[in-house]
Amino acid sequence: MVSKKWVYLFHELEQAEKYVSGDWERVRGLLGGKGANLAEMARIGVPVPPGFTVTTEACNAYQADGAFPEGLWDQMMVALKDVEKSTGKKFGGTENPLLVSCRSGAKFSMPGMMDTVLNIGLNDATAQGMIALTKNDRFVYDSYRRLIQMFGSVVLGMPDEAFEDVLDEYKSIKGFKLDTDLTADDLKELVAEFKKVTRKHKGFDFPQDPLEQMRLATEAVFKSWQGKRAVDYRRATNIPDDLGTAVNIVTMVFGNMGMDSGTGVAFTRNPATGEKKMYGDYLLNAQGEDVVAGIRNTEKIENMAKDLPEAYKQFMEITAKLELHYKDLQDVEFTVERGRLWMLQTRNGKRTARAAVKA
Ligand SMILES: Nc1ncnc2c1ncn2[C@@H]1O[C@H](COP(=O)(O)OP(=O)(O)OP(=O)(O)O)[C@@H](O)[C@H]1O
Ligand SMILES: [Mg+2]
């Protein structure tokens, strides 16, 4: 029996459309809002890191059986090969390792309710490979300690404080105030400390096998659909329980590679008044979560014009294009990796009636 198609590469949007008879609302139902828009951005020529979406149907099948449906994992492996081909990187490879994020994304956005794990694919061996490649050990150890931390909290259900306490204590011993004060050696030591935290709490080691990391993270996102936070949010907002979440596997791009890199979020116009002015925050040398986590003081988006002029110009062009395309104000996420801009998310921004009239 040929198993059902559970996985769509970002460049397979036409197939997804065909499956749901071309209706965009149903494409969003199948791929989730995040997945559908990543594929749509790729289609209209916006730079999106290669990746694929595991459908909400797969999530629902998982909820019903408590296991991956027949064919899902094989299809993920085929899609991963395609991503390796388009990026020229290899997942689990030591020469030019591919890292991915594993991101939840339901049909309707549920901000902060569901889970995401960044930097999947890092382990002791691929970390060495990335250091050889980038000559940037600070960046690599920073990414690695983030993975152990997010994997611990999202996938292994460990309390955030388990890692935060270790980090805070380390910083206070060293007299550091900011995460950016941490050197490569500090972060290397923190990787070792974080591994110990996992072992202590779980009784086993942080998994070194990248495929196991990906599989467990995907499963964790499926499970987060039934998490208390997500269920409560759906009750409060009248989102049906049977929609399920999609899972997006997205090639990692790095905003934490140095001062020519950064990450940010923005509204293409003022969500309260509709005034045509970009509203947003960004941070140099940081990874996605830092901007929203409030650990560091963010910069106003317009300051990006002097820090990353080329990327800023392109960002303004792309967001204008997205507004025109979706005919609505957009709420976007982006990352600049060594001067190169990548869009990581776009969605119609929520706004007041007054703002809608102006758009
Ligand atoms: N492949 C990637 N490369 C770089 N950054 C990424 C990647 N995937 C996700 N991120 C960043 O990680 C953060 C969390 O991702 P994600 O968008 O999945 O969840 P969220 O923004 O917390 O919630 P929501 O589901 O409402 O979007 C975001 O800032 C996002 O831009
Ligand atoms: Mg997001």
Side-chain angles (χ1 to χ4, degrees):
M1 199 188 86
V2 183
S3 57
K4 186 168 192 156
K5 187 166 170 62
W6 304 112
V7 173
Y8 290 85
L9 285 147
F10 294 163
H11 62 73
E12 290 179 332
L13 186 54
E14 272 75 27
Q15 283 186 59
E17 284 180 328
K18 214 162 144 198
Y19 177 65
V20 299
S21 321
D23 181 283
W24 184 248
E25 274 310 296
R26 290 169 69 180
V27 173
R28 287 171 47 91
L30 182 70
L31 303 178
K34 197 180 288 176
N37 280 344
L38 282 166
E40 180 71 356
M41 282 197 286
R43 173 157 71 185
I44 64 171
V46 168
V48 170
F52 57 88
T53 303
V54 175
T55 65
T56 55
E57 292 181 344
C59 173
N60 287 336
Y62 177 87
Q63 307 300 353
D65 298 342
F68 276 19
E70 164 89 44
L72 170 57
W73 185 245
D74 292 344
Q75 290 180 28
M76 288 176 73
M77 291 304 97
V78 172
L80 186 62
K81 283 273 165 303
D82 190 283
V83 173
E84 289 181 337
K85 220 165 123 198
S86 30
T87 57
K89 300 173 186 223
K90 201 164 169 2
F91 194 63
T94 49
E95 249 152 61
N96 189 8
L98 171 68
L99 305 188
V100 298
S101 59
C102 178
R103 315 169 66 187
S104 60
K107 179 174 182 182
F108 303 109
S109 107
M110 298 166 59
M113 294 299 126
M114 309 271 298
D115 290 326
T116 287
V117 183
L118 305 180
N119 306 330
I120 292 173
L122 270 178
N123 60 23
D124 295 349
T126 57
Q128 288 315 311
M130 288 206 53
I131 291 172
L133 191 74
T134 62
K135 313 269 180 285
N136 187 342
D137 48 353
R138 186 187 189 283
F139 148 71
V140 174
Y141 288 121
D142 184 41
S143 305
Y144 196 8
R145 67 97 189 165
R146 286 166 190 271
L147 170 64
I148 300 172
Q149 198 170 352
M150 289 184 119
F151 196 90
S153 95
V154 171
V155 181
L156 304 177
M158 295 165 58
D160 292 335
E161 304 82 61
F163 297 102
E164 274 159 19
D165 290 351
V166 170
L167 180 62
D168 288 345
E169 195 190 323
Y170 190 91
K171 287 200 304 203
S172 90
I173 290 170
K174 290 264 171 172
F176 293 157
K177 284 215 171 62
L178 304 170
D179 285 4
T180 42
D181 294 333
L182 297 161
T183 65
D185 282 339
D186 293 324
L187 289 159
K188 185 178 178 182
E189 215 169 308
L190 278 168
V191 165
E193 289 304 316
F194 280 10
K195 283 186 190 161
K196 283 187 209 154
V197 173
T198 301
R199 169 149 266 287
K200 185 172 141 220
H201 275 254
K202 302 304 294 185
F204 54 80
D205 289 322
F206 167 78
Q208 290 285 313
D209 177 2
L211 288 175
E212 191 185 347
Q213 293 171 8
M214 183 189 286
R215 194 182 171 108
L216 291 173
T218 302
E219 214 174 332
V221 171
F222 284 162
K223 283 185 187 152
S224 72
W225 179 254
Q226 297 294 13
K228 184 173 182 330
R229 263 188 317 162
V231 173
D232 289 348
Y233 183 84
R234 290 202 294 276
R235 291 289 119 77
T237 51
N238 288 322
I239 295 176
D241 283 333
D242 60 2
L243 292 179
T245 181
V247 180
N248 301 289
I249 303 291
V250 187
T251 299
M252 281 304 302
V253 288
F254 299 103
N256 58 335
M257 283 193 108
M259 297 312 275
D260 57 354
S261 305
T263 188
V265 295
F267 282 103
T268 52
R269 56 181 73 212
N270 184 327
T273 65
E275 183 198 352
K276 192 155 175 40
K277 177 171 184 282
M278 187 74 65
Y279 272 76
D281 303 289
Y282 83 104
L283 271 173
L284 284 176
N285 200 12
Q287 210 166 46
E289 31 162 11
D290 297 346
V291 177
V292 276
I295 311 167
R296 284 168 58 188
N297 287 330
T298 54
E299 294 275 336
K300 282 212 168 70
I301 194 98
E302 44 280 21
N303 294 347
M304 196 176 138
K306 68 172 181 359
D307 292 332
L308 302 163
E310 275 305 308
Y312 184 72
K313 187 166 159 262
Q314 203 193 352
F315 176 73
M316 296 305 280
E317 285 162 12
I318 285 174
T319 48
K321 181 173 175 169
L322 289 173
E323 259 207 349
L324 267 180
H325 184 78
Y326 288 102
K327 301 185 181 64
D328 205 341
L329 101 89
Q330 296 297 296
D331 171 1
V332 298
E333 291 173 8
F334 66 94
T335 280
V336 178
E337 176 183 310
R338 294 203 272 203
R340 186 157 176 204
L341 175 71
W342 296 95
M343 297 306 290
L344 289 167
Q345 190 167 344
T346 194
R347 58 187 157 199
N348 291 345
K350 292 195 171 66
R351 58 184 168 162
T352 59
R354 190 161 138 234
V357 172
K358 280 206 184 172

